[in-house]
Amino acid sequence: METTAGSLTVLSECIMEAIPDPPPPRSFVRADVLAAVLPRGGVVSLSPVVRCPPSIQHRRRMSEQGKGSASASAASAPAAPGSDTYKGWLFKWTNYLKGYQRRWFVLSNGLLSYYRTQAEMAHTCRGTINLATAHIDTEDACNIVLSSGGRTYHLKASTEVERQRWVTALELAKAKAIRMMNDQSDDSGDEEPTSQSDRSEIQGTLKILVSKLDDLSTCNDLIAKHGAALQRSLSELEGLKIPVEGGEKFKAVNERATLFRITSNAMINACRDFLDLAETHSRRWQRALQYEREQRAHLEETIEQLAKQHNSLERAWREAPTLVSSTPSAPTTNKGSERPLKEEASDEDEDTEFFDAMEDSPAFITVTTTENIQHRRSQSNLSGASSGHPNDWNQDDHMSPGCNDVSGKELQPRRQRRTHIPAKPNYSLNLWSIMKNCIGKELSKIPMPVNFNEPLSMLQRLTEDLEYHELLDKAARCDSSLEQMCLVAAFSVSSYSTTVHRTAKPFNPLLGETYELDRLEEFGYRSLCEQVSHHPPAAAHHVISQQGWTLWQEITIASKFRGKYLSIMPLGTIHLHFHSSGNHYVWRKVTSTVHNIIVGKLWIDQSGDIEIVNHRTKETCQLKFSPYSYFSRDVPRKVTGVVADSDGQAHYILSGTWDDKMESAKIVQSSRGGSGSEGKQKTVYQTLSPKLLWKKYPLPDNAENMYFFSALALTLNEMDDGVALTDSRLRPDQRLMEDGRWDEANSEKQRLEEKQRAVRRRREAEASDAMDDGKEYEGYQPLWFHQRRNSLTGETTFVYKGGYWEAKERQDWNMCPDIF
């Protein structure tokens, strides 16, 4: 009997094991795509699902000892301790061109995954088959046929014996997966409390618990009542002097004691029932909570893996740009073609494309009119402007002569600016480099090391918006306000071109810190920035140009950390005024998102909408920065826009990317087109050939070792004579970092921040004393900017009040605070 019991135990362990992880999430993309990601190495830890029979385990041990090497290539190999899996080589049918291809298969957790090589297990899974819903069949001596989810997989083993080993392992895994599904439906029905039956069960459980609580209350009342009666009886018994009359009293006492004991037992039983029921449902609720946590963890890890794959694909695409032109632009399989007997081209084939879960398509369609092609449809991106591209900004055939006038040609540079800075040290950003600066300090006083920074301040980064000031110089010469709007829109997009590789953060300016950029002799403009507030951090910027325009803005940064990415939302408006025409443009910046904050390589994306309004003519431009999507066919970092007059009539279509170039196409005719994929009617714009508005400058040589600075960024921290004492160029920690002395920069940064805190505490003490004396305390006031209400937007912002450039001519900086 003991032998039989032991055999049954072993058999039950072979067929049914512990409940495995829940199936992969299927809510937002194709199930087979996510299923292919979940079992990848380093993403999801697979729990044991298949315990092979003793004979197979014996063969595994023999294989580990170097025996049975003839079948080592296809036989299963034991996984790490505590995670029994079945692995080996099989041949998988791909298509009629390639036939059977050798693939590495891994059976684990009720899922059969396959890879091209064993090395791919660490990063790329080619497909996954859920055995719980799969049908297993055999064609001949060596073939295995798996059908799951409407797909059929044809596999072939090297020998009939090996085929039988796989079939046995697959059948055991399938039985166990089915048992797992049944157990989840029977014992863990409340793990997904979204259905009506689950909610009814929970409500019924709550009613039972309430009933048990009522029983306990009733028993408690009975105990109190009978306890008092028992006490009275005992008191009467003690008062009797003659025991002859005590017979009936003794009998009454016994009856009451019996009633007390019965009631107490009833109360105890009710308590036990209550506890048992509570513990049972507590375990089920804990399992439900654990299930939801695991689902969330799987989903987060899946998204993270998809982002990593995207980064790898994008790098590969950039390294081999010639391959893009040969990529087919349309699916190769026709809907009416005859379906082959074998499995169609699988997910692993290079020419297969999947475009599920794409973001919304553009709200309009453009048709480019040329001499040879009058109706050429294209989406509103760069693919629709693939021919006839001008290579410089002067070939604007549909621009007015005023825009192309070269009478206001830019001034030639008279000073040779620097073209390089010291190379970035090879400092590894590890935990110790951060923690060693935090030992013995309060949490609120822990400084962020310069390892996260670049040797520029936020004021200098704000000045980088002027890198393509030529767009505004050209716009100032435009006679048409609509054409001027196109150039202003291109300028608003160009300010993001420097952020594509700039993942390091700039230095946070100190309160009262300033930065000037004097390019009056070279390009005809002067720029001044000042940090006007510290809580919340806000910077004011003012630019005036001899080319006929003035720009000013106040930027306040709001950020939200969302676990794996950081959203940076610039608040405030940008104003641009052209002197001759009086056109006044106003717009705001879009949201910047830094991805892979915790794990992976940092990368930046821009998303959102920009509305540029000309308050004089009421003309508008709507720009859309499309967020990156792994499943989108659109070019990454795409920007599209429409320029319309005051009546809402569209005149220009804008398209391009925020990291490369922008183009405009003049609309010659518009009409209502057919319904799109979502049933929405789209507008069809017939346009002239697109013309280039803006093209990004190439980065300087060796830019990757100089923080990916542009040509302008390399000159921003260059020492200049006569600047204010509060200028960012004179900031010591930033200067030390640029020189590569990061340890000294960290110490200096800590000193400056502590000095700033001391000044703030002194102001708070002065404000408190003034309040005690009943006086008003003015607080900190910026030196070169003051608050004024804007008549166009109604907002109160900091604007330039003058005096800086006059003070520079006099070299009178006595009014500047000591912040360094």
Side-chain angles (χ1 to χ4, degrees), residues 208-314:
I208 295 174
L209 293 177
V210 173
S211 176
K212 291 295 182 181
L213 287 174
D214 294 338
D215 293 342
L216 288 175
S217 299
T218 303
C219 292
N220 183 53
D221 295 337
L222 290 175
I223 288 175
K225 177 180 177 181
H226 292 297
L230 181 59
Q231 291 295 330
R232 288 194 301 271
S233 299
L234 291 175
S235 298
E236 292 174 359
L237 183 60
E238 292 177 356
L240 294 177
K241 297 180 180 179
I242 301 174
V244 178
E245 300 177 358
E248 294 182 358
K249 291 293 184 181
F250 276 115
K251 184 178 180 180
V253 170
N254 290 331
E255 291 177 353
R256 294 183 184 278
T258 302
L259 288 174
F260 186 86
R261 184 173 62 255
I262 294 174
T263 305
S264 300
N265 291 335
M267 182 195 68
I268 293 174
N269 292 334
C271 289
R272 288 175 178 171
D273 293 341
F274 177 83
L275 290 177
D276 292 342
L277 186 61
E279 290 178 356
T280 300
H281 284 276
S282 176
R283 287 192 297 269
R284 297 178 67 181
W285 290 334
Q286 289 176 0
R287 287 198 300 269
L289 179 61
Q290 182 64 23
Y291 175 84
E292 295 299 331
R293 288 176 176 172
E294 292 174 354
Q295 286 285 73
R296 179 177 179 179
H298 289 327
L299 183 58
E300 292 178 350
E301 291 169 347
T302 299
I303 295 175
E304 179 180 334
Q305 186 70 11
L306 287 175
K308 291 179 180 179
Q309 281 190 337
H310 155 63
N311 290 336
S312 301
L313 291 174
E314 189 174 26

Side-chain angles (χ1 to χ4, degrees), residues 556-577:
T556 301
I557 301 297
S559 60
K560 291 184 179 180
F561 179 64
R562 305 180 184 273
K564 295 185 179 181
Y565 62 92
L566 177 68
S567 295
I568 302 172
M569 294 151 288
L571 307 177
T573 54
I574 304 174
H575 295 260
L576 176 62
H577 178 258

Side-chain angles (χ1 to χ4, degrees), residues 202-448:
I202 293 176
Q203 295 295 330
T205 302
L206 293 177
K207 291 181 180 179
I208 295 174
L209 293 177
V210 173
S211 176
K212 291 295 182 181
L213 287 174
D214 294 338
D215 293 342
L216 288 175
S217 299
T218 303
C219 292
N220 183 53
D221 295 337
L222 290 175
I223 288 175
K225 177 180 177 181
H226 292 297
L230 181 59
Q231 291 295 330
R232 288 194 301 271
S233 299
L234 291 175
S235 298
E236 292 174 359
L237 183 60
E238 292 177 356
L240 294 177
K241 297 180 180 179
I242 301 174
V244 178
E245 300 177 358
E248 294 182 358
K249 291 293 184 181
F250 276 115
K251 184 178 180 180
V253 170
N254 290 331
E255 291 177 353
R256 294 183 184 278
T258 302
L259 288 174
F260 186 86
R261 184 173 62 255
I262 294 174
T263 305
S264 300
N265 291 335
M267 182 195 68
I268 293 174
N269 292 334
C271 289
R272 288 175 178 171
D273 293 341
F274 177 83
L275 290 177
D276 292 342
L277 186 61
E279 290 178 356
T280 300
H281 284 276
S282 176
R283 287 192 297 269
R284 297 178 67 181
W285 290 334
Q286 289 176 0
R287 287 198 300 269
L289 179 61
Q290 182 64 23
Y291 175 84
E292 295 299 331
R293 288 176 176 172
E294 292 174 354
Q295 286 285 73
R296 179 177 179 179
H298 289 327
L299 183 58
E300 292 178 350
E301 291 169 347
T302 299
I303 295 175
E304 179 180 334
Q305 186 70 11
L306 287 175
K308 291 179 180 179
Q309 281 190 337
H310 155 63
N311 290 336
S312 301
L313 291 174
E314 189 174 26
R315 285 195 298 269
W317 177 78
R318 287 179 175 177
E319 292 173 359
T322 56
L323 299 178
V324 178
S325 59
S326 61
T327 304
S329 59
T332 56
T333 304
N334 296 327
K335 186 175 181 181
S337 61
E338 183 181 357
R339 183 175 181 177
L341 298 177
K342 297 286 186 180
E343 177 201 3
E344 295 180 355
S346 60
D347 303 348
E348 58 180 311
D349 295 335
E350 294 84 355
D351 55 352
T352 305
E353 299 182 10
F354 297 100
F355 303 120
D356 300 288
M358 296 193 318
E359 73 270 9
D360 295 337
S361 58
F364 55 86
I365 301 175
T366 60
V367 179
T368 304
T369 300
T370 62
E371 296 179 357
N372 299 326
I373 304 175
Q374 295 184 353
H375 297 285
R376 179 178 177 180
R377 289 179 176 269
S378 66
Q379 294 294 332
S380 59
N381 55 25
L382 295 179
S383 64
S386 59
S387 62
H389 285 180
N391 295 323
D392 58 80
W393 296 358
N394 294 325
Q395 299 179 11
D396 296 311
D397 298 339
H398 60 269
M399 289 289 184
S400 62
C403 288
N404 298 320
D405 184 14
V406 295
S407 59
K409 187 176 181 180
E410 293 80 358
L411 300 176
Q412 294 298 323
R414 298 181 180 178
R415 174 179 172 180
Q416 186 67 28
R417 301 287 178 177
R418 67 180 184 181
T419 58
H420 67 277
I421 59 175
K424 177 181 178 181
N426 188 18
Y427 275 60
S428 61
L429 185 59
N430 51 35
L431 183 62
W432 173 244
S433 66
I434 300 174
M435 294 300 295
K436 70 178 182 180
N437 295 321
C438 305
I439 299 175
K441 297 183 176 64
E442 298 180 13
L443 186 61
S444 60
K445 298 182 180 180
I446 294 177
M448 292 299 293

Side-chain angles (χ1 to χ4, degrees), residues 93-275:
W93 174 266
T94 56
N95 51 47
Y96 280 104
L97 295 177
K98 298 181 179 180
Y100 282 97
Q101 297 293 325
R102 193 166 180 256
R103 297 290 181 260
W104 178 257
F105 280 79
V106 178
L107 175 60
S108 182
N109 199 26
L111 301 173
L112 180 65
S113 307
Y114 58 92
Y115 311 83
R116 288 187 177 176
T117 62
Q118 299 183 46
E120 278 194 347
M121 292 179 61
H123 55 84
T124 305
C125 178
R126 299 295 172 176
T128 300
I129 307 170
N130 188 354
L131 295 178
T133 58
H135 176 71
I136 305 173
D137 197 3
T138 56
E139 287 184 344
D140 52 32
C142 297
N143 282 28
I144 305 173
V145 181
L146 296 178
S147 301
S148 177
R151 297 179 63 90
T152 302
Y153 301 84
H154 296 262
L155 312 178
K156 180 186 291 186
S158 56
T159 63
E160 185 176 358
V161 175
E162 191 59 38
R163 192 281 306 268
Q164 189 57 42
R165 292 175 182 170
W166 274 103
V167 170
T168 303
L170 292 172
E171 292 289 355
L172 291 174
K174 178 180 178 180
K176 184 176 179 182
I178 294 175
R179 177 58 185 269
M180 176 270 295
M181 295 178 61
N182 295 334
D183 290 345
Q184 284 184 339
S185 60
D186 295 339
D187 300 334
S188 303
D190 55 348
E191 289 182 352
E192 297 181 0
T194 57
S195 64
Q196 187 64 32
S197 60
D198 293 335
R199 287 195 292 268
S200 301
E201 182 180 355
I202 293 176
Q203 295 295 330
T205 302
L206 293 177
K207 291 181 180 179
I208 295 174
L209 293 177
V210 173
S211 176
K212 291 295 182 181
L213 287 174
D214 294 338
D215 293 342
L216 288 175
S217 299
T218 303
C219 292
N220 183 53
D221 295 337
L222 290 175
I223 288 175
K225 177 180 177 181
H226 292 297
L230 181 59
Q231 291 295 330
R232 288 194 301 271
S233 299
L234 291 175
S235 298
E236 292 174 359
L237 183 60
E238 292 177 356
L240 294 177
K241 297 180 180 179
I242 301 174
V244 178
E245 300 177 358
E248 294 182 358
K249 291 293 184 181
F250 276 115
K251 184 178 180 180
V253 170
N254 290 331
E255 291 177 353
R256 294 183 184 278
T258 302
L259 288 174
F260 186 86
R261 184 173 62 255
I262 294 174
T263 305
S264 300
N265 291 335
M267 182 195 68
I268 293 174
N269 292 334
C271 289
R272 288 175 178 171
D273 293 341
F274 177 83
L275 290 177

Side-chain angles (χ1 to χ4, degrees), residues 706-724:
M706 297 186 295
Y707 308 91
F708 287 98
F709 280 178
S710 63
L712 174 63
L714 289 174
T715 66
L716 292 180
N717 210 40
E718 185 178 9
M719 293 301 296
D720 202 352
D721 298 332
V723 299

